[in-house]
Every structure is written in structure tokens, then in C-alpha cells.
Amino acid sequence: MPPSDHGGRRPGAGRPAGEPSQRIRVPESQVPGVLAYLEAYRSPAALEAPRPLSLDPSTVALTAFLSRVPAGVPSMADADVDDVVDLNEHLVLPGHAPSTFIIRVSGWSMIGAGIFDGDEVLVDRALAPRQGDIVVAMVNNELTIKRLGKVDGHIALLPENAHFKPIVFREGETLSVWGVVTRSLRTLR
């Protein structure tokens, strides 16, 4: 019988020897989230990628005030409560929780955009990147955060610090955008 080109034993394939498998059931409403989680874990950046936000996030309700606080001359604060804000709904785009991650930034190449070493950014992998977006991209098998733009007609990753050089992609080179930055979070105390 000739050897088959499919099926059979392959080195490194399947579950570890002797480890039992189990079939699980997932509510239909949770299938997109589970699939997004698995896709993110199977991506080339899985080793460097942070874990996704919980598929069933807890609600954090904070009181929001209608009035704004001026950063200049002090004024009387309104005691009128406008609403209660759920941070999940406030920070994550509707329906994008499974594709939204928090990444801690390392380095100073984005200070002009107000993103500093140690800040955390929310990154949405479901958004299509557009020129001008701040993105997390895979360059030489490492994640980096830069602004998506162009240099001399070539796609480039642009730093927001004059001490850093743009990463320019020439013909034949490919850029892999891991996700689009939607928010920056900074700890002040």
C-alpha cells in the first residue's frame, strides 16, 4: 500500500500522548468571542500577545458628572450626577471585547502622541488600520507601537519622537499590523 499524504501520525501534531480530550459546549452568543480568543492565541504573535479581556467582563460602574472640570481657572463643581458609567462600555467599542487587549508600552518613541514608557494602551485587533492610526505592528518578529503613515510614497511606521527613525517598508516588504490603538491609559499615582 503506497504511503498516504494525509492522516496518520505526524511529529508534533495533535495533543500530547496520553492526554485525554474533552468536547465542550459554548452558548451561541459566546461563539464569536471564543473564536476570536482562539484566533488571537494562534496568531504568530501569540507568545508576545497579552491575554484578551474576559469573555464575560465584570461591570465596573463609576459615577460620571455632567459638568467639565476646567484645567485653567478653578470653578465651582456641580453636584449633579449625569450618569453611571460602565468602564467596559466606555473604553471598548461595542462588540469588540473579544478582540480588545491591554498592552503595556515600553520605550519613548511615542511621547509626541502622549504615550510614555510604562503607559498602557487598548488595542483593537478587529479594526482595519487607516493611515494616521496609531498601531501595534509586527516588525522582525517583535511588536512595536507607531503611527501608520507614508514616507516618500512608501508605507511607514512613524515614531512620535524626533530621536527615533521611521520604519519604511519598500516594495516587496510586508507590514503586519497586529491591532489599532484606541485608548491610552496612564497611571498618575
Side-chain angles (χ1 to χ4, degrees), residues 32-33 35-37 39-40 52 92-101 122-130 133-136 177-182:
L35 291 176
Y37 178 86
E39 180 183 323
V92 178
L93 294 172
H96 287 228
S99 63
T100 300
F101 299 80
L122 266 65
V123 181
D124 191 332
R125 295 198 69 191
L127 292 176
R130 296 185 298 216
D133 282 343
I134 295 175
V135 298
V136 173
V177 173
W178 194 84
V180 176
V181 175
T182 58

Side-chain angles (χ1 to χ4, degrees), residues 16-159:
E19 183 177 333
S21 63
Q22 182 178 5
R23 183 179 256 179
I24 62 170
R25 296 174 65 105
V26 177
E28 283 188 26
S29 65
Q30 298 300 312
V31 168
V34 171
L35 291 176
Y37 178 86
L38 292 173
E39 180 183 323
Y41 240 72
R42 291 176 183 147
S43 74
L47 294 177
E48 298 103 25
R51 295 185 176 269
L53 296 175
S54 170
L55 296 177
D56 185 21
S58 62
T59 299
V60 177
L62 299 177
T63 303
F65 290 91
L66 179 61
S67 63
R68 294 177 183 233
V69 177
V73 180
S75 69
M76 296 297 293
D78 279 341
D80 298 329
V81 174
D82 180 35
D83 202 357
V84 173
V85 175
D86 175 0
L87 290 180
N88 295 306
E89 291 177 12
H90 185 70
L91 297 176
V92 178
L93 294 172
H96 287 228
S99 63
T100 300
F101 299 80
I102 294 178
I103 295 179
R104 186 176 306 278
V105 175
S106 174
W108 299 96
S109 70
M110 295 303 290
I111 61 173
I115 301 173
F116 297 89
D117 183 61
D119 284 356
E120 294 172 327
V121 292
L122 266 65
V123 181
D124 191 332
R125 295 198 69 191
L127 292 176
R130 296 185 298 216
Q131 188 168 331
D133 282 343
I134 295 175
V135 298
V136 173
M138 182 68 74
V139 176
N140 299 325
N141 293 321
E142 292 185 14
L143 293 175
T144 186
I145 180 171
K146 302 283 184 280
R147 188 173 300 280
L148 185 60
K150 288 191 174 184
V151 171
D152 297 328
H154 296 280
I155 294 175
L157 294 174
L158 308 173

Side-chain angles (χ1 to χ4, degrees), residues 4-10:
S4 172
D5 61 345
H6 60 278
R9 185 168 173 77
R10 294 176 312 282

